[in-house]
Amino acid sequence: MRRIFYYSFLGSLVLASATACTKEKAEPQAASFFHVTQDGTVWEEKGTAIYDKSLASFSVLSSKAAEAGQTQTLYLGFVVPNLRTPVAASPISLAWRQLVGEDSETNQYSNVTVPTASTLQITRLDTVQKVIEGRFDATLIRNGRYSQQAEAMQLSEGSFRISYQDAPIRPQ
């Protein structure tokens, strides 16, 4: 009888201590940011991100207001084939665009002609909290529609921490 009481007491103690250590709330996340030096000028704006599970790809977008009703956007797209061990992501697609209004493009740079001049390192990927962090550098070339010269734009010391959303599942 004493043994039964002892094991019951011990079991209750273990159960009580296990439930006392249970987290009721998720740890608060650090603030989101998108930071890059663009030709010597600092770009610090919030960003958004979407993960497309069917393509194993992330799309990160940051926008800021420019002069006279214009908007500048910076797009970063990349594939992460293994979410458990994301170290370097590829291929990397980067584009900088200047828009008037919502859809009238007035200028564009991308890394389409120089994809090897871009690097991206994923430093953290939390699939539970849905947060992705990384660092990047790139050289972008101006789109020939806006200039026949091969004008370059340098993006350096780029870093981001952004909460991402899953893309809606597309019907097959």
Side-chain angles (χ1 to χ4, degrees):
M1 182 72 167
R2 209 176 220 181
R3 239 185 210 169
I4 293 172
F5 178 77
Y6 175 74
Y7 287 121
S8 296
F9 176 75
L10 188 60
S12 298
L13 185 63
V14 169
L15 183 61
S17 65
T19 57
C21 295
T22 303
K23 290 183 182 179
E24 295 193 19
K25 293 183 180 177
E27 294 291 322
Q29 291 293 316
S32 292
F33 65 87
F34 188 94
H35 171 92
V36 69
T37 302
Q38 172 192 4
D39 286 336
T41 303
V42 175
W43 174 302
E44 284 187 317
E45 297 293 326
K46 291 185 179 182
T48 59
I50 295 178
Y51 174 65
D52 188 331
K53 187 175 184 175
S54 64
L55 301 173
S57 68
F58 283 90
S59 297
V60 177
L61 183 70
S62 180
S63 298
K64 70 177 184 177
E67 70 277 346
Q70 296 184 2
T71 304
Q72 295 178 357
T73 62
L74 189 55
Y75 167 81
L76 176 63
F78 51 92
V79 174
V80 179
N82 186 351
L83 295 181
R84 292 183 183 175
T85 56
V87 179
S90 64
I92 304 165
S93 174
L94 281 138
W96 175 90
R97 295 173 37 180
Q98 187 156 327
L99 304 170
V100 174
E102 293 288 319
D103 58 357
S104 182
E105 185 177 89
T106 61
N107 203 354
Q108 180 188 39
Y109 288 74
S110 72
N111 70 335
V112 173
T113 58
V114 287
T116 57
S118 304
T119 61
L120 173 65
Q121 181 78 28
I122 303 300
T123 57
R124 178 175 168 240
L125 179 57
D126 183 338
T127 58
V128 174
Q129 298 284 329
K130 294 192 176 190
V131 174
I132 186 162
E133 293 182 28
R135 294 188 301 262
F136 66 96
D137 292 293
T139 300
L140 308 181
I141 302 298
R142 192 171 196 188
N143 185 313
R145 181 173 18 162
Y146 303 107
S147 174
Q148 295 304 312
Q149 300 173 3
E151 299 172 53
M153 174 187 291
Q154 278 304 129
L155 300 177
S156 59
E157 302 172 3
S159 60
F160 59 90
R161 177 188 308 121
I162 298 176
S163 296
Y164 66 88
Q165 297 178 348
D166 291 325
I169 297 173
R170 292 177 270 171
Q172 299 271 337

